Amino acid sequence: MRFSVIVYDRPQLHSEVLDICSDVASLLGGLEYIGGEVVPVFGLIDSTTEWLRLASKKPDFVWVVSYGGCLVTLIKDYDRLDLREKGIEYIGSVYSIDEVILGIVRKSAEGCFVSRIMPTTWETDNPRIRFMHEMAKKYRGQDPEDVSSHYVSSWVYFSVVAEGIRLALEEVGYENLTPRAVRDGLASITDLDTGLVPPITMSDEWPHIFSCARTYQVQQGKQMPVTDWYEIKFITPELFQYFR
């Protein structure tokens, strides 16, 4: 499978993304990196040249790392140039496509993929999402259609914070509670079930909240999951060095 990358113009992205894509593709296997393009952070008004240069290399998909107004331009140009009809799929980086972006680009984003580590506010088959909608209505006066996925994120983040504090209190008591104790509490979280994401476990070796992600697709103006949760802790020791 052949892939390309579009990133916004920041030096660290050149080293963290573009400069290592070939090595990452080799380590993961089954992928061939065929080049990338860099676009401005701000003020991008046309990305035709970048898209057509990538399209000429015939990638199967392009991973787009961009946000805000420039992302709007990239999505609209991707749609305008009919690149999906040419066999090129659009895959956005985490949180790159959200309700705000969809409200601007509308049908231009239809069919685009994006990776997410959180559920969206549209996943009302999840009872926790429905409960959050009730709380948003009660305490913020918001109807379900006005509740953003960022509100969903805050529930996960603060569930983790609360659990870290609880474990710290359990270990050292209120009188001895310090930032270090809370840090150690966070690093000892095991199988925390938020009802929104797979159980969360943190440690000194994995000092991250998330170990799973899902792939979503824009369907009728909404982001909907098209895969189950999958592990993102697949990184091998050889690959992990690039992300330290």
Side-chain angles (χ1 to χ4, degrees), residues 153-209:
S153 301
S154 69
W155 279 69
V156 176
Y157 294 138
F158 284 102
S159 295
V160 171
V161 170
E163 179 68 1
I165 295 173
R166 186 190 71 80
L167 291 171
L169 288 170
E170 191 176 82
E171 183 68 22
V172 303
Y174 177 76
E175 297 299 329
N176 297 314
L177 189 64
T178 63
R180 179 70 191 189
V182 174
R183 177 257 175 229
D184 291 343
L186 289 169
S188 63
I189 290 176
T190 303
D191 292 333
L192 174 65
D193 186 5
T194 64
L196 294 166
V197 298
I200 296 169
T201 294
M202 298 174 66
S203 66
D204 290 333
E205 291 71 32
W206 184 260
H208 314 288
I209 293 176

Side-chain angles (χ1 to χ4, degrees), residues 18 24 46-47 69 86 104 133 165 170 175-176 180 186 196 238:
L18 292 181
V24 170
D46 192 295
S47 58
K86 296 178 173 65
I104 298 171
H133 286 171
I165 295 173
E170 191 176 82
E175 297 299 329
N176 297 314
R180 179 70 191 189
L186 289 169
L196 294 166
E238 295 82 6

Side-chain angles (χ1 to χ4, degrees), residues 55-69:
S56 68
K57 300 175 183 178
K58 302 187 183 310
D60 294 298
F61 68 89
V62 177
W63 184 42
V64 180
V65 185
S66 185
Y67 301 89

Side-chain angles (χ1 to χ4, degrees), residues 95-233:
Y95 287 142
S96 58
I97 300 177
D98 59 15
E99 293 92 342
V100 174
I101 296 297
L102 289 177
I104 298 171
V105 302
R106 299 184 182 276
K107 290 184 178 180
S108 292
E110 194 70 16
C112 288
F113 295 93
V114 64
S115 56
R116 291 187 60 89
I117 52 178
M118 294 274 195
T120 68
T121 186
W122 294 300
E123 295 174 61
T124 52
D125 55 331
N126 184 323
R128 180 64 66 173
I129 297 291
R130 296 197 299 272
F131 176 72
M132 289 170 51
H133 286 171
E134 294 172 7
M135 295 300 100
K137 181 66 174 179
K138 180 177 180 179
Y139 293 106
R140 301 169 67 92
Q142 293 182 333
D143 293 323
E145 58 269 22
D146 299 320
V147 178
S148 77
S149 294
H150 299 294
Y151 187 66
V152 179
S153 301
S154 69
W155 279 69
V156 176
Y157 294 138
F158 284 102
S159 295
V160 171
V161 170
E163 179 68 1
I165 295 173
R166 186 190 71 80
L167 291 171
L169 288 170
E170 191 176 82
E171 183 68 22
V172 303
Y174 177 76
E175 297 299 329
N176 297 314
L177 189 64
T178 63
R180 179 70 191 189
V182 174
R183 177 257 175 229
D184 291 343
L186 289 169
S188 63
I189 290 176
T190 303
D191 292 333
L192 174 65
D193 186 5
T194 64
L196 294 166
V197 298
I200 296 169
T201 294
M202 298 174 66
S203 66
D204 290 333
E205 291 71 32
W206 184 260
H208 314 288
I209 293 176
F210 303 103
S211 61
C212 296
R214 279 193 296 192
T215 300
Y216 284 68
Q217 186 181 36
V218 179
Q219 300 175 357
Q220 298 181 348
K222 299 179 180 180
Q223 290 179 354
M224 301 305 294
V226 292
T227 69
D228 292 329
W229 292 102
Y230 50 83
E231 289 279 344
I232 56 176
K233 292 172 66 175

